[in-house]
Amino acid sequence: MRRIEHWIDGGVFAGGGQRVGPVWDPAAGTQQAEVALGTPAEVAAAVSSAQAAFPGWRATPLSRRAEILFAFRELLHARRDEVAAVVTSEHGKTLPDALGEVSRGLENVEFACGIPQLLKGEFSEQVSNGVDVFSIRQPLGVVAGITPFNFPVMVPLWMLSGAIACGNTFVLKPSEKDPSASLWLAAALGEAGLPPGVLNVVHGDREAVEALIGSPEVAAVSFVGSTPIARSIYETATRAGKRVQALGGAKNHMVVLPDAEIDLAADAAVSAGYGSAGERCMAVSVVVAVGRVADPLVDAIAARLPKLRVGPGTAPDSEMGPLVTAEHRDKVASYLDSGRSAGAELVVDGRSHDLPAGGFYLGPSLFDRVEPTMDVYRDEIFGPVLCVVRVGTYEDALRLVNDNAYGNGTAIFTRDGGAARRFQFDCQVGMVGINVPIPVPVASYSFGGWKDSLFGDTHMYGPDGVRFYTRSKVVTSRWPDPSSSRVDLGFPVTR
Ligand code: NAD
């Protein structure tokens, strides 16, 4: 069985750990490799490599850092098909979807290429006689990133592009379910000129994560994953005095007002609900149908689902691939029974879809007349299951969105600009789409939810990323005017 190893100090690192995890081919339903699950010793090796690389990297001129990031950007762009194929083979998403993920990650690299501009401080001249005050932003040291399975290229790039641009060194612990993309990134960054030790990758599960966040040398932790783990990592790492941003799960609501264009809203619900098999933190999982829009909207969504082609991510006509593991597919499918037992109407059952044999497939499912007390409403299902909740008014829809524990993304579909503006003002959610179903901010903004979708106070990437990965220092300096100098400067000074 092929074994996937760590990447430490600029190369593949075969540690001594005996534990391994399976890496599946979700389209075939077979195991394709095993991944080394890091031990505390391997985590220590990665952290000490990052610690040793820090003084040199921190002193590397901004222009050189930007040059390496530009070179990496070119490699990633030129070889995007290659890395997308790596993603599809372990995650299962379709190749166009994997390419979309690479493009979003590229945006973060491009943003980081502007680091000479982004790290500019402030300067106040002559705050007192001969006194100037200025601020500078300095890197934190060794920082850690822990990432989920659903975006194995994009989420690591959200973190590491900004972190290393700011002068930190980085230890990445990617998802053990699809570990190869992170090695691809590390090798490409090395080829682009990144010195050994600036980026290290340790694979693993809970044991590696606990060792990493328990390392005194790790100054900050960025986490993206499910809410219970995000909360626990935030609590543990902040207690140890670390800076933490921990992004959690989601239950994104798409509100459809009675004046919305039905076909536009139905297309948006289908692409945002079932794209990437619903395994996106910005997937729409609840459609809130306001008033008379409910019947035509449910009909329009249901009519689209039998046409959705489910198949291997590599097949040119597939629109939705398999789920990441058999275990996850079975858990998602279990909601189809529990939702029906709780009284929701299962309009489309994905188990009856035309599905290929072998892989971890589940077709798209649609529930109507879902109530907020039901598990299918409350839990993050993270699969191709869309729930429709019918409400009477805009106020009811808003209450539903705001009462939900999660606050990652939301969207409103309407032709009324005033209603949309009021929604953007009223909703307690971090990212809002107006006639846009997956409102992922571009790289020059920052990404993050509210409530149980984010623990910490900075969002990820963009300007917040620069703030998170640096600390500010303020310098107050006094230089008396040379004309008053009692020392012979060797040159004439006049005022
Ligand atoms: P997960 O929480 O199971 O795993 C995330 C990371 O934590 C992985 O690296 C994993 O190895 C590690 N981990 C798992 N269990 C752990 C434990 N007990 N202790 C310490 N570390 C542990 O998440 P996942 O299934 O890989 O990804 C899906 C989840 O991520 C969903 O909840 C999704 O909403 C969320 N997500 C959120 C965002 C966001 O921006 N808010 C983005 C992508 C994914």
Side-chain angles (χ1 to χ4, degrees):
M1 182 66 66
R2 182 166 59 90
R3 186 176 157 114
I4 298 167
E5 300 286 0
H6 315 289
W7 182 278
I8 297 176
D9 232 8
V12 173
F13 181 95
Q18 299 301 310
R19 290 173 64 235
V20 289
V23 177
W24 301 98
D25 171 353
T30 51
Q31 186 176 348
Q32 57 168 309
E34 61 186 20
V35 60
L37 298 178
T39 61
E42 287 147 350
V43 170
V47 170
S48 74
S49 166
Q51 212 183 358
F54 177 62
W57 182 242
R58 192 205 150 178
T60 301
L62 293 182
S63 55
R64 175 65 188 144
R65 287 187 222 158
E67 191 179 22
I68 292 168
L69 285 162
F70 270 116
F72 173 56
R73 188 262 169 218
E74 290 305 297
L75 284 177
L76 188 55
H77 183 68
R79 299 184 196 159
R80 59 194 183 282
D81 291 327
E82 187 184 312
V83 70
V86 172
V87 171
T88 293
S89 99
E90 292 182 358
H91 176 285
K93 63 176 75 174
T94 64
L95 277 173
D97 203 22
L99 276 169
E101 154 170 13
V102 176
S103 301
R104 296 314 301 256
L106 264 169
E107 284 179 24
N108 294 106
V109 181
E110 287 160 1
F111 181 81
C113 288
I115 199 64
Q117 171 73 15
L118 296 168
L119 281 186
K120 272 160 55 176
E122 293 169 320
F123 196 103
S124 303
E125 189 182 55
Q126 192 72 351
V127 295
S128 182
N129 275 335
V131 177
D132 301 327
V133 179
F134 56 96
S135 68
I136 48 185
R137 301 205 72 92
Q138 298 190 329
L140 307 175
V142 178
V143 302
I146 300 154
T147 53
F149 80 82
N150 65 326
F151 286 107
V153 167
M154 184 184 77
V155 175
L157 289 177
W158 281 1
M159 301 175 181
L160 68 86
S161 315
I164 63 177
C166 289
N168 302 283
T169 53
F170 200 86
V171 179
L172 172 66
K173 204 305 285 172
S175 170
E176 66 277 32
K177 293 189 180 121
D178 45 13
S180 296
S182 55
L183 295 179
W184 193 99
L185 295 176
L189 271 157
E191 199 178 327
L194 194 73
V198 176
L199 170 65
N200 301 281
V201 181
V202 187
H203 298 294
D205 55 10
R206 181 179 183 161
E207 186 183 2
V209 171
E210 285 177 354
L212 191 55
I213 64 172
S215 306
E217 301 81 8
V218 170
V221 178
S222 297
F223 173 88
V224 175
S226 58
T227 288
I229 315 286
R231 183 184 279 119
S232 139
I233 283 184
Y234 181 78
E235 288 173 357
T236 310
T238 50
R239 204 176 304 124
K242 299 183 197 309
R243 191 179 277 206
V244 185
Q245 49 178 188
L247 277 59
K251 192 84 183 176
N252 304 314
H253 292 53
M254 171 174 152
V255 175
V256 184
L257 294 188
D259 70 337
E261 223 238 90
I262 300 286
D263 282 335
L264 184 77
D267 285 343
V270 169
S271 71
Y274 305 105
S276 202
E279 293 171 327
R280 288 182 182 143
C281 64
M282 290 296 272
V284 165
S285 50
V286 179
V287 170
V288 187
V290 180
R292 64 174 187 270
V293 84
D295 284 340
L297 184 61
V298 169
D299 289 348
I301 296 173
R304 282 160 169 76
L305 299 192
K307 296 177 213 147
L308 207 74
R309 287 185 300 272
V310 180
T314 47
D317 61 344
S318 291
E319 293 169 293
M320 193 175 108
L323 279 84
V324 68
T325 59
E327 191 188 1
H328 185 55
R329 187 261 323 267
D330 295 345
K331 182 166 178 233
V332 172
S334 74
Y335 280 99
L336 303 178
D337 295 326
S338 68
R340 198 157 41 180
S341 318
E345 187 185 324
L346 187 55
V347 180
V348 179
D349 185 336
R351 291 170 294 197
S352 332
H353 203 88
D354 180 18
L355 299 174
F360 308 142
Y361 293 100
L362 180 65
S365 298
L366 179 66
F367 273 118
D368 190 10
R369 301 183 190 279
V370 169
E371 296 293 333
T373 49
M374 297 175 180
D375 284 352
V376 284
Y377 176 79
R378 288 210 313 265
D379 295 356
E380 181 185 32
I381 299 176
F382 217 57
V385 179
L386 201 53
C387 294
V388 176
V389 178
R390 294 174 177 235
V391 298
T393 64
Y394 165 84
E395 278 73 24
D396 297 334
L398 181 70
R399 197 171 315 112
L400 199 64
V401 171
N402 286 351
D403 285 352
N404 195 273
Y406 297 104
N408 210 41
T410 188
I412 189 163
F413 277 70
T414 178
R415 284 185 252 209
D416 184 328
R421 187 171 182 279
R422 189 160 148 208
F423 185 70
Q424 94 196 16
F425 187 84
D426 286 338
C427 69
Q428 290 166 20
V429 175
M431 295 171 283
V432 185
I434 295 170
N435 298 320
V436 172
I438 307 185
V440 176
V442 294
S444 48
Y445 285 79
S446 299
F447 183 107
W450 287 12
K451 301 187 277 185
D452 284 358
S453 296
L454 185 140
F455 303 88
D457 50 10
T458 44
H459 289 191
M460 212 158 267
Y461 71 71
D464 268 18
V466 174
R467 274 192 287 277
F468 182 77
Y469 290 123
T470 55
R471 50 188 168 176
S472 72
K473 185 181 269 178
V474 177
V475 180
T476 305
S477 78
R478 183 197 298 279
W479 292 107
D481 193 274
S483 62
S484 64
S485 176
R486 272 172 272 150
V487 180
D488 179 8
L489 293 170
F491 54 86
V493 178
T494 49
R495 288 191 71 105

